[in-house]
Amino acid sequence: MTMQAATRAFDVSAARKDFPILDRKVHGKPLVYLDNAATSQKPRSVIDALTKFYTEYNANIHRGVHFLSQQASEAYDAVRGKVQRFIHAGTEREVVFTRGTTESVNLVASSFLKPRLSAGDVVLVSAMEHHSNIVPWQMACEACQASVQVIPMDDTGTLDLEAYRNLLTPAVKLVAVVHTSNSLGTVNPVTEMTALAHEQGIPVLVDGAQAVAHGPVDVQEMGCDFFAFSSHKMLGPTGTGVLWAREDLLESMPPYQGGGDMIASVSFEKTTYNEIPFRFEAGTQNVADVIAFGAAIDYWNGLDRAAAAAHEKNLLAHATSSLESMNGIRLIGRASAKAAVVSFVAGGINALDLGMYLDTQGIALRTGHHCTEPVMDFYGIPGTLRVSYLFYNTNEETDLMIRALDRGISLLSG
Amino acid sequence: MTMQAATRAFDVSAARKDFPILDRKVHGKPLVYLDNAATSQKPRSVIDALTKFYTEYNANIHRGVHFLSQQASEAYDAVRGKVQRFIHAGTEREVVFTRGTTESVNLVASSFLKPRLSAGDVVLVSAMEHHSNIVPWQMACEACQASVQVIPMDDTGTLDLEAYRNLLTPAVKLVAVVHTSNSLGTVNPVTEMTALAHEQGIPVLVDGAQAVAHGPVDVQEMGCDFFAFSSHKMLGPTGTGVLWAREDLLESMPPYQGGGDMIASVSFEKTTYNEIPFRFEAGTQNVADVIAFGAAIDYWNGLDRAAAAAHEKNLLAHATSSLESMNGIRLIGRASAKAAVVSFVAGGINALDLGMYLDTQGIALRTGHHCTEPVMDFYGIPGTLRVSYLFYNTNEETDLMIRALDRGISLLSG
Amino acid sequence: METIAEREHEIITDFGLFDTWEEKYQYIIELGQKLPPLDNRYHDDAHKIKGCQSSVWLRCHETDGRIYFEADSDSTFVKGEIALLVNVLSGQRPADVASAELGFIDAIGLRQHIAVTRANGLASMIRQMKTYAIAFESTGGGA
Amino acid sequence: METIAEREHEIITDFGLFDTWEEKYQYIIELGQKLPPLDNRYHDDAHKIKGCQSSVWLRCHETDGRIYFEADSDSTFVKGEIALLVNVLSGQRPADVASAELGFIDAIGLRQHIAVTRANGLASMIRQMKTYAIAFESTGGGA
Ligand SMILES: Cc1ncc(COP(=O)(O)O)c(C=O)c1O
Ligand SMILES: Cc1ncc(COP(=O)(O)O)c(C=O)c1O
């Protein structure tokens, strides 16, 4: 990519036209959707893919000899290749469809970690993990008298790599770290962190739930062993997501759930399992949503991602400086490498009250702990307000939010 | 319901109009869809519910203060009540949303059975189970040196209740039995079987994957402890389904997967879990599909189910007698209590070859073991051809299938 | 002393003046800001209501067969909701509180607008108020 | 002896005569019915191809630097597919078989019409044929 390409302006109004929901009103006001870290909105092509599937070729897959089943199977199977190319995986066989990031992490905790875990062992996570990248490890560790240890961060929300290095002891059986934090916006140096873990022979899982929507991902370059993400946060439907795992590790893992399609043959005496990745996809697959997820990847491929990233950088800079210039606002998370996510608290004002006021103005943002309670405990706050952007957002939306925030703060201080 | 109501003719052409896909052509011929046991087609209202969600109120649920999140949360939560009423459960708290039947069974195997299983214990399943109601038990038993034992059936595909009685020993920790067999059509006496198991204090899981589309279900009347089914087989979207479990059992079960929304609070020192049923729904829920599943239940509620059942009975009778009158056709599964599912083999002719020929005629049926390999082993056949009906099918479709079958058989015998 | 139904009716009439959710929200915030504070010594676990996303403390006492509520929250909006409940239920007979249906909450369009977690909080508050009322009905004791 | 490309071209021409999938299906069935049977003693595990939904047995031998295939299946359609492959690959030089791209499968519209499980079966057959060819290339042995 040339500098030229990267600096070509992103055509945000064209992009907005692809997202039907962005035209709607809320409480009589135009919707300002700034809750993208919770879930993204969907382009028309994704919604149409669902309609097309159900009106034209809905069928159960992989075992049907008839045309609809064939068409559905091909469409479903083709998405595996799309995912492979999207994250630059070595082969399709490394792509497992799951319900989403949470299930991907649970699958690794159950099929990879648990059989390798003994008393005294350690799973290393960072201080800014989402509950979905904490609780599955706690559950696995509890069952084996192992423990979860924490890579500390500083007040800006930056991980302490020196401390991390020292934590990489032989007891560590896995490092599980978030690529892009959903509550702080921090982008962690996962490539470097993976390399450090690998020096000690420790495998690494990267939680990519937020990362995939904010820039290209290359799992081979990153070097990690597992990469988990959700369709719904990257323009696709709810109900599906991906576990990418290195082929040799996946081969070594026992199945997670049992049922149809994950078997080679079943008898009451002896059941043998299918090959990877099918071994990990028991039961009727979420066919429609996987196919629509494929449409979401097509949408990303049609987007000028460099320009979109530059646009998001601009959104982040504008939101940060606007909020900084307001009285009583304290930004939570000031890492130098940050995605377009801004958390803040407004003096002594209750975040929910303020969030509700913004809602009366049609502005959707999130308040609370964002499923990262340990982060809130770290900062000694019950929660934050969080604005989180995607390429279809505008600085005008930020300005509307800032004005409403201002009014809300005076109302609630009164 | 009065006899009058039950015998009012079902308006099948009106019903067909609700299913857009039934108008399509395959290989230039009108689609004849007789693969409903694999998956059902979807009424327009279900497809529209998905579109409406994504174009009007897509948001992440349960933690959002803003209007869209609120609207989505309410719509999602309302489906729990719909499911409760649909299966006549005692309370909404007993309804867990899963990916489908397979995951529901795995959840019970992992969170209910495994902690209660010791070496020498037994899980009792029937000879006609779907792989999804075999493999999860095998996996759990293998981990605990317990075993899966089998309730035998006779040549008609009817379970041997005398043998069942004798198998109900103190070693049995769970009975898992299919309500309606997907490969034989047999409707098992699950109420009676549950009562017998309960006399010995043994809990019962009923696999309702096929049952829910063929008649009303009342889990309280049935008396079972767990009931599992899939949305996609009952007019709803792929990717969701239900585990119903008796409240006290569910309360006693540890979580299945860890992550967002299934927790009460998380810290690195101590995590506490949410109450039922949320404890079992980790991560971002399949919001859109659950809501569209609700639309499917609405559709069932708007249907004259007694008339639909009578119509299906008629379809079954016609298909059975038509196939019986053909040379060389052998019906597999001749239980007296049968749903509208007919499996058969055609002399020495390869089922796949015949299925492919029917496909050239636009006729979609299934060939193979239908994820019930032990049933095929029992009959000593590699697989069957299977036609499976839903209320929107017609006897004319059966006639088209029979004529094509006739031509296919002569072609392949040549 | 007005009945519960009469008080609910008044609130419904008040809210009838507002066209938008914004106005209702502001009115509830005002009610919250005007709610008399609960003495600090009652901000403890014994008086805390479980199941609310915000912290809510509730205390009540009985005088002459009537039940009186005082409450507080870290959220002004929740205080406004409490103010509405206190307005309707405080000073009523325990039996009437225990059996109150509180249709005004739906009538003023509160439930449609507040997030589900909030609605659960509201339900928890109501449940706790009724629990107190039932306790008074049978024992006449304070909490 | 025609080259692989020439044989593929002929098959593509043949299939060009058919308008519908039904006709193509029938033609493949006819080819399957005409495929010379494989001697029964080769219907064993050593000659069975893994990864096919139907049972498929494949055997080959070399004469004068050319490789010859014989095969059988319990499915007539699969036998038809085998007949197409045998037609194209039997009697060719091992090196040519090993490097054949077999574009005719897509060109005659076979892949779009056969179920994915079948397509995998076809892929397994081709893979096995090429494996034999490679073995002959290096060792000249029979299978
Ligand atoms: C009887 C029976 N049980 C279980 C299943 C598994 O359901 P699913 O694949 O939707 O999880 C099916 C359908 O495939 C079935 O027919
Ligand atoms: C960083 C991070 N990890 C994990 C998750 C869990 O993803 P999901 O809820 O889609 O399973 C989320 C989103 O909720 C997230 O932001």
Side-chain angles (χ1 to χ4, degrees):
Chain A
M1 152 188 48
T2 64
M3 280 305 285
Q4 206 58 29
T7 51
R8 190 170 59 220
F10 182 68
D11 188 348
V12 63
S13 58
R16 289 181 72 84
K17 290 207 182 70
D18 296 330
F19 293 79
I21 204 173
L22 298 180
D23 281 337
R24 81 158 281 174
K25 297 202 162 181
V26 162
H27 305 307
K29 313 242 158 75
L31 169 66
V32 174
Y33 187 75
L34 300 176
D35 194 18
N36 293 289
T39 200
S40 68
Q41 296 303 339
K42 320 303 172 200
R44 191 172 288 103
S45 59
V46 166
I47 305 168
D48 287 349
L50 288 172
T51 306
K52 191 176 161 66
F53 175 75
Y54 285 125
T55 55
E56 294 183 16
Y57 62 105
N58 169 59
N60 209 321
I61 60 168
H62 285 177
R63 288 170 302 247
V65 71
H66 60 79
F67 184 74
L68 296 189
S69 174
Q70 153 91 8
Q71 210 183 336
S73 300
E74 265 177 23
Y76 178 89
D77 292 336
V79 181
R80 223 182 282 280
K82 290 184 188 189
V83 170
Q84 179 210 334
R85 292 183 291 277
F86 187 75
I87 60 170
H88 298 92
T91 122
E92 275 187 33
R93 291 163 44 83
E94 300 179 330
V95 175
V96 179
F97 290 117
T98 63
R99 192 195 351 262
T101 310
T102 301
E103 184 170 58
S104 299
V105 174
N106 278 279
L107 199 167
V108 175
S110 170
S111 287
F112 176 79
L113 182 69
K114 245 180 151 178
R116 287 167 173 76
L117 211 56
S118 315
D121 283 347
V122 168
V123 175
L124 204 53
V125 304
S126 90
M128 65 180 83
E129 296 308 319
H130 187 278
H131 294 166
S132 291
N133 203 22
I134 299 174
V135 184
W137 312 123
Q138 287 182 324
M139 286 166 62
C141 285
E142 198 172 48
C144 308
Q145 273 135 16
S147 68
V148 171
Q149 287 184 12
V150 185
I151 310 161
M153 63 179 178
D154 68 17
D155 205 58
T156 67
T158 306
L159 290 183
D160 178 344
L161 288 195
E162 204 39 53
Y164 171 60
R165 240 182 261 265
N166 294 328
L167 283 164
L168 289 171
T169 64
V172 178
K173 289 293 165 295
L174 185 81
V175 171
V177 65
V178 69
H179 194 161
T180 301
S181 156
N182 65 309
S183 54
L184 299 172
T186 310
V187 179
N188 289 311
V190 284
T191 308
E192 188 184 342
M193 291 176 75
T194 299
L196 288 170
H198 281 183
E199 277 172 23
Q200 314 297 323
I202 303 166
V204 176
L205 175 139
V206 172
D207 170 355
Q210 296 295 334
V212 282
H214 294 298
V217 164
D218 186 325
V219 290
Q220 293 188 85
E221 207 173 276
M222 207 184 298
C224 62
D225 303 279
F226 302 100
F227 189 80
F229 58 107
S230 305
S231 152
H232 74 95
K233 295 196 198 270
M234 51 173 286
L235 314 184
T238 57
T240 192
V242 169
L243 171 67
W244 169 83
R246 258 180 41 213
E247 188 169 3
D248 56 331
L249 296 182
L250 208 52
E251 285 284 11
S252 77
M253 287 158 58
Y256 178 52
Q257 299 184 331
D261 226 34
M262 57 70 75
I263 54 95
S265 85
V266 171
S267 74
F268 291 118
E269 294 73 39
K270 186 171 169 47
T271 290
T272 55
Y273 303 124
N274 204 339
E275 46 188 63
I276 65 164
F278 312 107
R279 187 196 301 162
F280 300 99
E281 296 177 10
T284 297
Q285 297 81 351
N286 189 350
V287 185
D289 289 327
V290 166
I291 291 172
F293 179 34
I297 296 176
D298 293 341
Y299 188 92
W300 286 110
N301 292 337
L303 202 69
D304 182 342
R305 295 196 75 183
H311 173 63
E312 282 191 21
K313 212 166 165 167
N314 183 268
L315 290 169
L316 174 65
H318 183 66
T320 305
S321 66
S322 303
L323 283 163
E324 272 173 338
S325 67
M326 282 180 78
N327 264 338
I329 296 285
R330 174 179 159 214
L331 297 194
I332 304 292
R334 317 199 47 132
S336 54
K338 249 190 96 166
V341 172
V342 189
S343 265
F344 58 95
V345 291
I349 294 174
N350 184 281
L352 271 161
D353 288 344
L354 204 45
M356 285 186 86
Y357 177 73
L358 290 165
D359 174 56
T360 69
Q361 307 303 304
I363 297 162
L365 46 62
R366 188 137 298 224
T367 64
H369 56 56
H370 319 297
C371 291
T372 58
E373 277 191 72
V375 171
M376 302 305 134
D377 294 347
F378 175 83
Y379 288 102
I381 51 179
T384 70
L385 289 108
R386 180 190 72 187
V387 290
S388 56
Y389 296 90
L390 217 54
F391 57 79
Y392 47 60
N393 288 122
T394 65
N395 285 336
E396 290 69 44
E397 291 181 307
T398 300
D399 294 341
L400 282 171
M401 185 273 293
I402 293 282
R403 273 199 297 279
L405 199 58
D406 208 43
R407 285 197 304 277
I409 290 172
S410 29
L411 185 72
L412 288 160
S413 315
Chain B
M1 149 189 49
T2 65
M3 282 304 286
Q4 207 57 31
T7 52
R8 189 170 59 221
F10 182 69
D11 189 348
V12 63
S13 58
R16 289 180 73 82
K17 289 205 184 72
D18 296 331
F19 293 79
I21 204 174
L22 297 181
D23 281 337
R24 80 158 279 173
K25 297 201 161 180
V26 162
H27 304 306
K29 313 242 157 75
L31 168 66
V32 174
Y33 187 76
L34 300 175
D35 194 17
N36 294 288
T39 200
S40 68
Q41 296 303 340
K42 319 304 171 200
R44 191 171 289 104
S45 59
V46 166
I47 305 167
D48 288 350
L50 288 172
T51 307
K52 191 175 159 67
F53 175 75
Y54 286 125
T55 55
E56 294 184 16
Y57 62 105
N58 169 60
N60 210 322
I61 60 169
H62 285 177
R63 289 170 301 247
V65 72
H66 60 79
F67 184 75
L68 296 188
S69 175
Q70 154 92 9
Q71 210 183 336
S73 299
E74 266 177 20
Y76 178 89
D77 292 337
V79 181
R80 223 183 282 280
K82 290 183 188 190
V83 170
Q84 178 209 335
R85 292 183 291 277
F86 187 75
I87 59 170
H88 298 93
T91 121
E92 275 186 34
R93 291 161 46 82
E94 299 179 330
V95 175
V96 179
F97 290 117
T98 63
R99 189 193 354 259
T101 310
T102 301
E103 183 170 58
S104 298
V105 175
N106 278 279
L107 198 167
V108 175
S110 169
S111 287
F112 176 80
L113 182 70
K114 244 179 152 180
R116 287 166 174 76
L117 212 56
S118 316
D121 283 345
V122 167
V123 175
L124 204 53
V125 303
S126 89
M128 64 181 83
E129 296 308 319
H130 187 279
H131 294 165
S132 291
N133 202 22
I134 300 175
V135 184
W137 312 122
Q138 288 182 323
M139 286 166 62
C141 285
E142 199 171 48
C144 308
Q145 273 136 17
S147 68
V148 171
Q149 285 184 13
V150 185
I151 310 162
M153 64 179 178
D154 67 18
D155 206 58
T156 67
T158 305
L159 291 183
D160 179 344
L161 288 195
E162 205 40 50
Y164 171 59
R165 239 181 263 266
N166 295 328
L167 284 164
L168 289 170
T169 64
V172 178
K173 289 294 165 293
L174 184 81
V175 171
V177 64
V178 69
H179 194 163
T180 300
S181 155
N182 65 309
S183 54
L184 299 171
T186 310
V187 178
N188 289 312
V190 284
T191 307
E192 188 183 345
M193 291 176 75
T194 300
L196 288 169
H198 281 184
E199 276 172 23
Q200 312 298 321
I202 303 165
V204 175
L205 175 140
V206 172
D207 170 355
Q210 296 295 333
V212 283
H214 294 298
V217 164
D218 186 326
V219 290
Q220 293 188 82
E221 207 173 278
M222 206 184 296
C224 62
D225 303 279
F226 301 100
F227 188 81
F229 59 106
S230 304
S231 152
H232 73 96
K233 296 199 198 267
M234 52 174 284
L235 314 185
T238 57
T240 190
V242 169
L243 170 68
W244 169 83
R246 258 179 42 212
E247 190 169 2
D248 56 331
L249 296 183
L250 208 53
E251 284 284 11
S252 76
M253 288 157 59
Y256 179 51
Q257 299 183 330
D261 227 33
M262 58 69 76
I263 54 94
S265 85
V266 171
S267 73
F268 290 119
E269 294 72 38
K270 185 169 169 50
T271 290
T272 57
Y273 302 124
N274 204 338
E275 47 187 63
I276 66 165
F278 311 107
R279 188 196 302 160
F280 300 100
E281 296 177 11
T284 298
Q285 297 81 353
N286 189 348
V287 185
D289 289 328
V290 166
I291 290 172
F293 180 34
I297 296 177
D298 293 342
Y299 188 92
W300 286 110
N301 293 337
L303 202 70
D304 182 342
R305 294 196 75 183
H311 173 64
E312 282 191 21
K313 210 166 167 170
N314 184 267
L315 290 169
L316 173 64
H318 182 66
T320 305
S321 66
S322 303
L323 284 163
E324 271 172 340
S325 68
M326 282 180 78
N327 265 338
I329 296 286
R330 171 178 162 217
L331 298 193
I332 304 292
R334 317 198 47 132
S336 54
K338 248 191 98 166
V341 171
V342 189
S343 263
F344 59 94
V345 291
I349 295 174
N350 184 282
L352 269 161
D353 288 345
L354 204 44
M356 284 187 85
Y357 178 72
L358 289 165
D359 174 55
T360 69
Q361 307 302 304
I363 297 162
L365 45 60
R366 187 138 300 223
T367 64
H369 56 56
H370 319 298
C371 291
T372 58
E373 275 191 72
V375 170
M376 302 304 134
D377 294 346
F378 175 84
Y379 289 102
I381 51 179
T384 71
L385 290 107
R386 180 190 71 187
V387 289
S388 55
Y389 295 91
L390 216 54
F391 57 80
Y392 48 61
N393 288 121
T394 65
N395 284 337
E396 290 69 44
E397 291 181 306
T398 300
D399 293 342
L400 282 171
M401 185 272 294
I402 294 283
R403 274 200 296 278
L405 198 59
D406 206 44
R407 286 197 304 278
I409 290 173
S410 30
L411 183 73
L412 288 160
S413 315
Chain C
M1 165 72 52
E2 290 164 314
T3 65
I4 290 178
E6 284 163 355
R7 289 186 181 176
E8 289 194 58
H9 183 74
E10 274 169 30
I11 292 175
I12 293 168
T13 311
D14 285 352
F15 274 82
L17 299 173
F18 305 129
D19 291 327
T20 65
W21 166 233
E22 180 178 359
E23 290 168 313
K24 292 179 194 175
Y25 169 88
Q26 293 201 9
Y27 185 63
I28 294 170
I29 291 292
E30 275 169 41
L31 292 176
Q33 287 167 338
K34 284 188 288 198
L35 184 74
L38 177 71
D39 197 301
N40 250 335
R41 70 191 143 131
Y42 300 117
H43 288 87
D44 60 11
D45 271 3
H47 292 85
K48 199 161 178 168
I49 300 182
K50 281 177 195 53
C52 295
Q53 191 156 326
S54 304
S55 297
V56 179
W57 300 271
L58 177 71
R59 153 169 206 271
C60 74
H61 65 272
E62 198 204 18
T63 312
D64 299 335
R66 301 273 170 172
I67 186 168
Y68 295 87
F69 295 101
E70 293 165 275
D72 211 341
S73 170
D74 53 357
S75 154
T76 312
F77 187 87
V78 173
K79 277 165 77 171
E81 292 179 317
I82 294 168
L84 289 170
L85 292 174
V86 168
N87 185 340
V88 170
L89 298 176
S90 210
Q92 302 291 348
R93 265 184 296 266
D96 295 340
V97 171
S99 64
E101 293 196 356
L102 303 177
F104 80 101
I105 294 168
D106 284 327
I108 65 175
L110 196 51
R111 218 183 295 271
Q112 305 125 257
H113 280 298
I114 51 178
V116 172
T117 41
R118 290 269 182 159
N120 288 344
L122 194 60
S124 304
M125 282 189 260
I126 294 169
R127 204 180 310 120
Q128 190 57 45
M129 285 169 134
K130 292 192 170 202
T131 306
Y132 280 143
I134 291 164
F136 278 123
E137 251 189 293
S138 49
T139 71
Chain D
M1 164 71 52
E2 292 163 316
T3 64
I4 290 178
E6 283 162 354
R7 290 187 180 176
E8 288 194 60
H9 183 73
E10 275 169 29
I11 292 175
I12 294 168
T13 312
D14 286 352
F15 273 82
L17 299 173
F18 305 130
D19 291 328
T20 66
W21 166 233
E22 180 177 0
E23 290 168 315
K24 292 179 194 175
Y25 169 87
Q26 293 199 11
Y27 184 64
I28 295 171
I29 290 293
E30 275 169 41
L31 292 176
Q33 287 167 339
K34 285 189 289 203
L35 184 73
L38 177 71
D39 196 300
N40 249 335
R41 71 191 142 130
Y42 300 117
H43 287 87
D44 60 9
D45 270 2
H47 292 84
K48 198 161 177 165
I49 300 183
K50 279 176 196 55
C52 296
Q53 190 156 326
S54 305
S55 296
V56 178
W57 301 271
L58 176 71
R59 150 170 209 273
C60 75
H61 64 272
E62 197 203 17
T63 312
D64 299 335
R66 301 273 172 173
I67 186 166
Y68 295 87
F69 295 101
E70 293 164 277
D72 211 341
S73 170
D74 53 356
S75 154
T76 312
F77 187 87
V78 173
K79 276 164 76 172
E81 292 178 317
I82 294 169
L84 289 171
L85 292 174
V86 168
N87 185 340
V88 170
L89 299 177
S90 210
Q92 301 292 346
R93 264 184 297 266
D96 294 340
V97 171
S99 63
E101 293 196 356
L102 303 176
F104 80 101
I105 294 168
D106 284 326
I108 65 176
L110 197 52
R111 219 184 292 272
Q112 304 125 256
H113 281 296
I114 52 177
V116 172
T117 41
R118 290 268 182 160
N120 288 343
L122 193 61
S124 304
M125 283 189 261
I126 294 169
R127 205 178 311 121
Q128 190 58 45
M129 287 169 133
K130 291 193 169 201
T131 306
Y132 280 143
I134 291 164
F136 278 124
E137 252 189 292
S138 49
T139 70

